[in-house]
Amino acid sequence: MTVEVGPNLESLSASFPLTFPVPTPFTHPSLISVKDLHREEDLLRNPHSFRQWWSAIHTTREAQTALLKLEPVADIPPEKRAILGPLASPVARQSLQRLTYLYEAALANFPGSFKLWKPYLQMRMSYVLGKQLIKKKAGGKKRLPDIKDALEEEQEDLEQWEGGLDGVVGWEEWKGLVATFERALMWLPKLPRIWLMYLSIFSHPNCPPALSHSHARRTFDRALRTLPPSLHHRLWVRYLLWAETRGGLTTVAVYRRYLAIDPSVTERYVALLLSPSNPSPRPLEAAKLLLALSRKAARGEYISAEGKSPYQLLGDLLDVVEAHAEDVGMGVEELPSTEAGGDSVDADAENPQQQQSNHGLIRFAGPPIAVGADGKPTPVYDEDEDPDNPRKLNVEKIVRKDGLAVYKDQAGRLWTGLATYWIQRGEFERAKDTFETGITTVLTIRDFTQIFDAYAEFSERVISGIMEELGNPDEEDEDLDVKETEEELDARMKEFEELMDRRPFLVNDVLLRRNPSDVQEWEKRVELWGQDDEKVAETFTRALSTVAPRRATANFHRLYIDFAKFYEKGGTTGEAEVDLASARKVLEKATKVNFKNVEDLAEIWCEWAEMEVRHENYDDAIRVMQRATAVPKNTKINYHDHSLSVQARLFKSLKLWSFYVDLEESLGTVESTKAVYDKILELRIANSQIIVNYAAFLEENKYFEESFKVYERGVELFTFPVSFEIWNIYLSKFVKRYGGSKLERARDLFEQALDKCPPKSCKSIFLMYAQLEEEYGLAKRAMSIYDRATQVVENEDKFDMFTIYIAKAAANYGLTATRPIYERALEVLPDRQTAKMCLRFAALERKLGEIDRARAIYAHASQFCDPRTNPEFWAEWHAFEIDTGSEDTFREMLRIKRSVQAQFNTEASYLAAQALAASQGAAKQAEDAALDPMATAERQSGGGKSGPTFVSAKQQAQQDDDEQSQSAQIVGNADEIQISDEEI
């Protein structure tokens, strides 16, 4: 194959150059045919007529295009077409020469015409570069986009060509194209369009290396020097994209030049430096650039083009450090100043004139220290931010100073990044110390979990590596000491197990560092120690000395109580000796702590007394409560005054007094217990339960009158509704005790109870009062009490009271005596209850044989009963008329029903009634449909008529009368109404 390719290349290259020297009719007679003589004569006669030249060029171009379309493409071998591209056919080469001749001749007369130069250059480019592929895009571009957007848009819009002349075979033609552009720029140096067209050819894949590298870079530089600064934006976009394709030092040099005037593409430059396709990555330079960006962003001097925050930029730096630890950071042996003092590096950074490089030369770099316009010192030169400086980074100092000191909420990521850096460098002990420092300083569980998981994974990897080393010994490693390696493995395994065991304690430490006054976490800490009494006691002591009482979370007092119980029970297991003296000291100390709530201090005293009771020290328990309930001289202290200490307000704690009184009831005498109860009442801190308990205690000890006095004091202390319960108990106890022997006194008590009793609560008292009169007093007084009750109780209870009143009146005086009660009930009760009472009243009259009175009651009740919502009432009246009425009374009932229905139709309640009736009607319709589908179909079709049927009011009334009469007749067959002729 190689033998045949050589001659082919020589035969192909023999056709070139085509346009150098410029073809003319003298050198190439085939350029002009007989048909072109007339055109040439016109051009010779009018050499300065631009129209003549333009017309000739346009005509020739169209003719050559037509010839190219007629030429068969299949006759050209694919190998030849791949090398020569657009110039593979003789017609194309001749077309290039003819057009070049015309353009060159025209430019000889019009050398400064952009209208000629542009199509000429485009024509030459099309024959050398190939057919340009034009992408279709919707919308327009921004006039002056940011450099980031401009790079992205330009990269998408870069010219692409199909085919193209080979750079080796067509070297002369490529060189001629470049020379043509140079001549054009000689005449039109300030036109950016020509510069951009010229620069675009260097991105062609077939461009010869002699043109696409050094010549291209010099051309870009020339364009920047020639064009005004306002147009540099368009050139730099092309220049940067071209530099990215070249890579290596070219990319570095071009980007450094641009970053000097616009640092917004630094992140793109960093990505290029670290790109996997970059044959010579520069991680140290990328790390220093990211560090500089992070610091500038933190100071507000830089806004990331990628939208990254200062912390995200610092995170990118950590990623670079982790991936290229050896190339970026210093080792442990290179950090003597940091390990010794920690401030020497900072001191050197503040004096750049005194810094020395690795070559021993003094560096006078960076601006002097000065004060900016805002009064803040401007940043000085820093080697860590200079990408040209070869000194590596002090990663640990950067992470602590620029990371942990600023981004405290991201400590987990920073500590793990620093530890990973030391792991990549093989400094395992340094990495371990970093992990330990991290887990003992973070303040959140999220950060702790992140560091701990990385620490555990690191430990597992180290153990796995040692085990693999033991399992697969390397023959080359003759110095491997198996015993020493096994000892190291055992030590690593032991450290890993200890780490896993420490995890609950470490989590607890994190939470306690975040809030040292978190009582619940201290309690968990105690539980974590299990049965280690020494550690438990130490934890309790540390917790009580650390927690601030006013900042503590809930149940701080429980720590003191649990600590005292720890001594009382003899440790966590109970095997140690009981130490009541230490428990008393703990509780004694707790009584002097200013807790948040008085109840916490009260519980401390109560627990102390309970401890003494558990150990049968009853006298000590009483003395403890006496100390706790000592009343000061000034008893007007407000219990809720938080400006005072809890010790000053303790004597008003009801919880404390309740425990004290329970203790006295169990251990003391009646007199001592009464004294405590009296003290509670005197301090005015008693509640209703204390009153009831005091009275019950006196009653148990046969002090009945004193117990009644306590009830009386209770009803004086409290108002309704609290006193209502006390009155209930008091009255029931009094009646049970004395019955009717002290009737007048009982009446006075009931009257006192009813004096200020609200209507909501007086029902039960009235019933109790009436029952007392029925059993021990007069029936007349009982009736008057019931009568009073019907006037006083709430409307919701009046119906029940009238019901009871009527029943009692009927039992005592007969049914006729209930008529006035019924009548007053109908006047007082609300409408919804009046109808129900009317039905009972009508039933009474029917029993007494008063049919007309019953009918009148039904007529009276009808005004409150909507036929749609109260069908039961009308059904009962209907049955009443069938049983006892006449035809006239039945018609009167129907008339009243229609009038009532019409009345309710005009009221607001009609909507509610209509909704209820609709729901009932729907249910009934569904039931009828299940029984008679044909009837349902007839109702839906309107009885066989199309559309709904409307009946007038008169017809509807007549229809209702007929239906009611018919129903009456049907029912009358079973129980016919007998009307004599005389009655008619």
Side-chain angles (χ1 to χ4, degrees), residues 217-249:
R217 177 174 53 79
R218 295 190 184 100
T219 305
F220 275 110
D221 294 340
R222 241 178 341 119
L224 291 171
R225 290 194 301 268
T226 304
L227 292 177
S230 60
L231 299 175
H232 285 188
H233 181 79
R234 302 174 66 183
L235 295 176
W236 273 115
V237 174
R238 289 272 185 171
Y239 201 0
L240 294 176
L241 292 177
W242 173 82
E244 291 177 8
T245 60
R246 295 299 170 259
L249 294 176

Side-chain angles (χ1 to χ4, degrees), residues 400-435:
R400 290 177 182 274
K401 178 181 176 182
D402 298 298
L404 295 171
V406 180
Y407 310 107
K408 297 182 179 359
D409 57 334
Q410 300 294 337
R413 171 68 183 95
L414 297 172
W415 281 114
T416 53
L418 180 58
T420 305
Y421 162 73
W422 290 119
I423 293 172
Q424 295 297 331
R425 293 192 63 92
E427 302 289 347
F428 295 148
E429 291 301 324
R430 190 81 172 191
K432 178 183 174 183
D433 294 341
T434 302
F435 279 126

Side-chain angles (χ1 to χ4, degrees), residues 692-710:
V692 174
N693 292 344
Y694 189 12
F697 170 75
L698 293 173
E699 186 178 356
E700 289 176 2
N701 291 278
K702 310 301 181 182
Y703 293 92
F704 298 107
E705 285 298 328
E706 291 189 17
S707 69
F708 294 152
K709 290 180 181 179
V710 170

Side-chain angles (χ1 to χ4, degrees), residues 694-761:
Y694 189 12
F697 170 75
L698 293 173
E699 186 178 356
E700 289 176 2
N701 291 278
K702 310 301 181 182
Y703 293 92
F704 298 107
E705 285 298 328
E706 291 189 17
S707 69
F708 294 152
K709 290 180 181 179
V710 170
Y711 283 123
E712 291 177 359
R713 292 182 66 180
V715 296
E716 291 177 0
L717 288 174
F718 302 101
T719 58
F720 284 91
V722 177
S723 62
F724 170 73
E725 301 297 337
I726 301 176
W727 274 116
N728 267 340
I729 300 173
Y730 181 22
L731 294 174
S732 60
K733 294 282 186 181
F734 189 87
V735 172
K736 181 180 179 181
R737 172 69 180 168
Y738 295 109
S741 60
K742 295 186 179 182
L743 187 58
E744 291 300 326
R745 183 179 171 186
R747 288 171 178 169
D748 292 339
L749 290 176
F750 276 106
E751 292 297 336
Q752 291 178 22
L754 293 172
D755 186 21
K756 297 180 180 180
C757 185
K760 183 179 181 180
S761 306

Side-chain angles (χ1 to χ4, degrees), residues 235-272:
L235 295 176
W236 273 115
V237 174
R238 289 272 185 171
Y239 201 0
L240 294 176
L241 292 177
W242 173 82
E244 291 177 8
T245 60
R246 295 299 170 259
L249 294 176
T250 303
T251 303
V252 174
V254 174
Y255 261 94
R256 282 183 179 179
R257 286 177 57 191
Y258 185 75
L259 291 178
I261 59 174
D262 183 11
S264 61
V265 293
T266 307
E267 296 172 57
R268 186 184 181 96
Y269 177 43
V270 169
L272 291 174

